[in-house]
Amino acid sequence: MSQIGAPGDGPSRRDFLKATGAGGLAATAGCTAPSGQEPQSNQQKAMQSNADVPYTSPPEIVNVDEQGGKVTLSAREAKQAVHPGDSMGGPVELPRVWAFQADDGEPSVPGPILRTTEGEDMEVTLDNTQSDMPHTLHFHGARKTWENDGVPTTTGITVNPGEKHTYTIPANVPGTHLYHCHFQTPRHMEMGMYGIFRVDPKGYEPADREYFMTLKDWDSSLSRMMAGEKANYNPRQRNCDVFTINGKSAPRTLHPEDGSPIIVKQGETIRVHLVNAGYMSHPMHIHNHRFQLIEKDGGNIPEAARHDEDVTNLGPAERHTIEFEADADPGIYLMHCHKVNHVMNGRSYPGGMLSAVVYESAMDTDIFAKLMEYAGYEGGN
């Protein structure tokens, strides 16, 4: 039974449908390319080149311990339906991304969440046999040997097209971390080659519900250029026009299976692991709840240093774990970047880097049904 909400401990699909009190909700229009198109001839060329490229799926959580400490990440070309509907400034699409796929799973941007336990070693094999360009893997938050650092210019190790390479990554720094390709980093991260590396400390006590969210700002000109469209990307003069949480922009972020709603019950303790894989800082704000920062970049925040707040600002590559009680009047409360021009799809507001804390008891309301229509959710029975 698939889980609902951001990657983590959300309710099942059956529980969600029961909470909504509906067997189905209206769907919005299907996927098309973003606004501001090139002339028809270029558009047709891009569509033809993309015909055999799959769409990404939401990132999965891979418990590497349960796989004997081993996982294979394959580099894949794909397309990203950031917001496939025509509501709220959509549709928004990245016509070409470079995704990671774990073992026999589906390609995703962000890549799979690799979860392990303090004291374990991971053997991570980068499979580059189906890619036409070099890649590497670099893991933040792990004290590793020199040759496993994943930087081609300082280790001499590059995983070329047609090759595989296995990295040994010790889980010796508990916390929530980032991994990414370190070959031509400004371009390869802009194309989607990043993901979460989670190390649970020994004796870890989970919250009632935990969620993982990766933030990303995009200059879509690189994606469009790589898809064959007439576009020009300059990493020194980025023009960010797409803002995502777990690879989606609002209202698609509210989609219970494809997006990132934080679904809660009254009285629960909620823990959210936030990672910034973008190039800009993002001050994340939750409405009507006070939270505490309990981890930063794999460092535990002592209880004496914690305090209640409602905004946490993540710089590039920063990781924050926040915790709060679902103690508000049950309803629907936004979670969003407070650089409010990041909460837009093109010139349409709201959109972009926005999700919500959704109380289960609010799911049978008319306003929630309307949000699901915007998000393109069709429940089914």
Side-chain angles (χ1 to χ4, degrees), residues 36-59:
Q37 299 301 327
E38 301 299 328
Q40 185 67 20
S41 59
N42 289 338
Q43 187 179 24
Q44 289 176 338
K45 179 181 177 180
M47 290 174 65
Q48 290 172 357
S49 69
N50 281 348
D52 58 350
V53 176
Y55 280 100
T56 58
S57 296

Side-chain angles (χ1 to χ4, degrees), residues 51-104:
D52 58 350
V53 176
Y55 280 100
T56 58
S57 296
E60 63 174 319
I61 299 175
V62 178
N63 190 319
V64 183
D65 296 350
E66 294 179 354
Q67 301 186 172
K70 298 181 180 181
V71 63
T72 295
L73 290 181
S74 302
R76 294 283 190 268
E77 287 194 336
K79 297 175 284 193
Q80 185 93 343
V82 176
H83 168 39
D86 59 2
S87 62
M88 295 187 180
V92 180
E93 180 171 302
L94 297 171
R96 185 60 54 89
V97 292
W98 300 338
F100 284 120
Q101 172 183 312
D103 302 316
D104 59 354

